[in-house]
Amino acid sequence: MNAKNTQERVEYSVSKTIGSNMVVQRNSAFNVFGKSKNKGAVIYAEFAGEKNCATVDENGKWCVQFSTGEATKTEQTLKIYAENGVATEFSGILIGDVWVVSGQSNAELNFCVAAVKTPEYQKEINEKDNIRVFSQAREDVMSVKDKEDITIAREDVINENYAWKKTTVSDVQPFSALGYYFAKELSRTVDVPLGMIMAAAGGSTLHELMPAEVAAECGFTEAPSVPVCGFYNSLLHPFTNNSIKGMIYYQGESESNAGSYKKYAGNLKKTVEGYRKAWGMDFPFINVQLTTHMGESVTGWNELPNIRAAQFNAYKEIENSYLVVSRDQNYKEEDPDWAHPYYKFEIGKRAAAIAASAIYGKCDMEYSASPEPVKVTWQDDFVFVDFRYVGDGLKLLDGEKLKGFAVLNEAGDDILTCAEIADKSTVKLKFSGKGEKVQYCMFHNGIIELANLGNSGNFPAPAFEILK
């Protein structure tokens, strides 16, 4: 179908989620889309040897779809044009895997801040890497004058200056430290172009990051920083027109008071389901169990241990999900910021190890993840906790005695009398009385000196609480 007036000049815009230097998800549909005031006009596009077209609909929208094949490091060009209009060309496009990193401030924490703890890592940055980044910022959402603009899911990004970038030193600095460390470490094992989308916002609650239908189901009507779903609508939703490989998530500090932990596991599960529905795919979800914060967090985030336990429970309930333990990558007294520990390298590396093993099949999960409790057996005055992902076996990461466990009775008293590693994959707990639940690292300060169970790969065990 041609434009109503073939002499009419066709003007169109292209979504800012698409551009030069982007990574397109392999083996999926690649939607090239935008808007035009010329209803009925035909927009043409060419990509990777394929040519397609689309008609501008009654709502002024158009979308040209391509099929991507296997990953390639050969840069592709995307051409968009109309018979009577300006041609647009995007170059340097790679086909590979696209990952989203989302959550609150510890997901948003910029590389330039975290890099003070890994100054040598600056030398690892190389724009010739097959890694591309798309940075977004909380302040751009907060600076929107008319908040009505973020009460509904946006079709395009909040700042028209956002763009895909190669990993030059300057363009990595404002990107998520967690996201960049993850991509760089994963690239050492997985030889596939990686596109990283930063969609995190400092201080965000879960209901500011969840889709609208999920918020309605969970009963949320108000939020502290932006309208309910505001950060989802503006930072995440614009990218749902194209496929992704997976998501890395780091959120929960904002739920660490007022009893929010009681519904957190269920709400997180519904949020992930909402994300998968929006993208139309069951992508892997890698969640970071919260680290140790001290300082004002002891009173301001007094329910932090309960959120960690809720994150573990959510992990057990969410299909195709994984848990990264970070409690040992903690704030230290000499650090200037108790709320944002700078130690994101090890967390990104751990997430990359899990991805390389469980998702890409390049390594063995037995040696890539934290030891995880899978079975609890009660026998008289003993309880046995069996673990998987122990590598060559469970071990103490610090000291000579196993620390961090508790066995609670109905009154909530700790009746544990002895804890030890019984064999390669089992912890044996002796108690006096009637035990009702097993806890591990259910206290605010989760440093290794206080909860020291790990595996041969030096991965610490997660915080958890398991009822009898």
Side-chain angles (χ1 to χ4, degrees), residues 2 13 35 65 75 96 99 108 111 133 135 165 197 205 220 222 226 253 255 264 295-296 299 330 336 404 413:
N2 294 320
S13 63
K35 295 182 178 180
Q65 188 173 90
E75 294 187 340
W99 287 83
E108 186 183 30
F111 179 83
V133 296
S135 296
K165 303 285 187 180
I197 299 169
T205 59
F220 291 112
E222 297 182 355
V226 293
E253 292 95 339
E255 323 291 327
Y264 187 80
E296 297 174 30
T299 54
N330 50 287
D413 300 319

Side-chain angles (χ1 to χ4, degrees), residues 253 256-257 291-305 308 331 338-341 444-445:
E253 292 95 339
S256 297
N257 52 43
T291 192
T292 293
H293 302 272
M294 297 307 291
E296 297 174 30
S297 73
V298 178
T299 54
W301 296 341
N302 60 307
E303 294 170 356
L304 197 74
R308 290 197 192 108
Y331 161 80
W338 60 266
H340 307 98
H444 202 284
N445 191 345

Side-chain angles (χ1 to χ4, degrees), residues 32-45:
V32 179
F33 59 100
K35 295 182 178 180
S36 173
K37 66 179 182 179
N38 304 98
K39 298 178 182 178
V42 177
I43 307 296
Y44 298 89

Side-chain angles (χ1 to χ4, degrees), residues 39-327:
K39 298 178 182 178
V42 177
I43 307 296
Y44 298 89
E46 298 178 14
F47 177 72
E50 189 177 357
K51 180 179 179 179
N52 286 322
C53 66
T55 302
V56 180
D57 66 19
E58 288 300 311
N59 296 313
K61 301 178 183 179
W62 60 270
C63 178
V64 181
Q65 188 173 90
F66 297 96
S67 297
T68 63
E70 296 298 325
T72 178
K73 300 174 187 176
T74 301
E75 294 187 340
Q76 307 293 318
T77 298
L78 170 64
K79 297 179 180 179
I80 306 168
Y81 55 93
E83 290 184 350
N84 187 18
V86 175
T88 305
E89 186 170 303
F90 299 116
S91 60
I93 299 173
L94 301 177
I95 299 174
D97 287 342
V98 180
W99 287 83
V100 174
V101 55
S102 188
Q104 56 184 102
S105 54
N106 279 295
E108 186 183 30
L109 185 74
N110 297 155
F111 179 83
C112 62
V113 177
V116 301
K117 298 299 180 181
T118 55
E120 73 286 353
Y121 213 86
Q122 295 278 2
K123 300 176 183 177
E124 298 291 329
I125 301 173
N126 189 339
E127 67 176 304
K128 294 182 180 180
D129 283 348
N130 294 305
I131 301 172
R132 308 294 170 81
V133 296
F134 192 102
S135 296
Q136 300 181 94
R138 175 185 188 272
E139 62 233 38
D140 290 321
V141 182
M142 299 301 296
S143 64
V144 174
K145 294 181 179 179
D146 186 358
K147 290 298 190 287
E148 288 293 324
D149 288 345
I150 56 175
T151 57
I152 60 174
R154 290 179 57 88
E155 296 179 358
D156 212 341
V157 297
I158 199 77
N159 185 332
E160 64 178 15
N161 294 317
Y162 289 161
W164 285 93
K165 303 285 187 180
K166 292 186 176 182
T167 51
T168 64
V169 172
S170 60
D171 287 325
V172 165
Q173 304 307 313
F175 192 72
S176 160
L178 172 63
Y180 180 71
Y181 286 133
F182 167 82
K184 184 68 177 182
E185 293 304 304
L186 182 60
S187 72
R188 302 185 194 281
T189 305
V190 177
D191 191 22
V192 172
L194 299 172
M196 301 297 302
I197 299 169
M198 178 176 170
S204 55
T205 59
L206 190 58
H207 54 287
E208 291 171 323
L209 286 164
M210 60 176 55
E213 60 270 24
V214 178
E217 181 182 354
C218 294
F220 291 112
T221 57
E222 297 182 355
S225 301
V226 293
V228 172
C229 314
F231 290 127
Y232 168 80
N233 290 339
S234 51
L235 300 177
L236 285 156
H237 191 268
F239 292 90
T240 58
N241 275 331
N242 279 306
S243 298
I244 59 174
K245 181 66 174 181
M247 181 179 290
I248 307 163
Y249 215 67
Y250 193 148
Q251 192 276 337
E253 292 95 339
S254 291
E255 323 291 327
S256 297
N257 52 43
S260 295
Y261 71 90
K262 296 177 182 178
K263 295 183 177 181
Y264 187 80
N267 289 346
L268 180 59
K269 180 181 179 182
K270 292 175 183 177
T271 299
V272 175
E273 291 170 348
Y275 291 158
R276 290 171 173 168
K277 181 180 179 180
W279 263 281
M281 57 189 305
D282 180 27
F283 55 76
F285 181 75
I286 301 177
N287 196 21
V288 178
Q289 191 181 51
L290 298 187
T291 192
T292 293
H293 302 272
M294 297 307 291
E296 297 174 30
S297 73
V298 178
T299 54
W301 296 341
N302 60 307
E303 294 170 356
L304 197 74
N306 293 313
I307 287 294
R308 290 197 192 108
Q311 289 176 313
F312 179 79
N313 292 337
Y315 154 66
K316 300 294 287 184
E317 292 294 324
I318 300 170
E319 295 291 333
N320 197 15
S321 71
Y322 307 90
L323 192 70
V324 178
V325 178
S326 73
R327 59 183 175 81

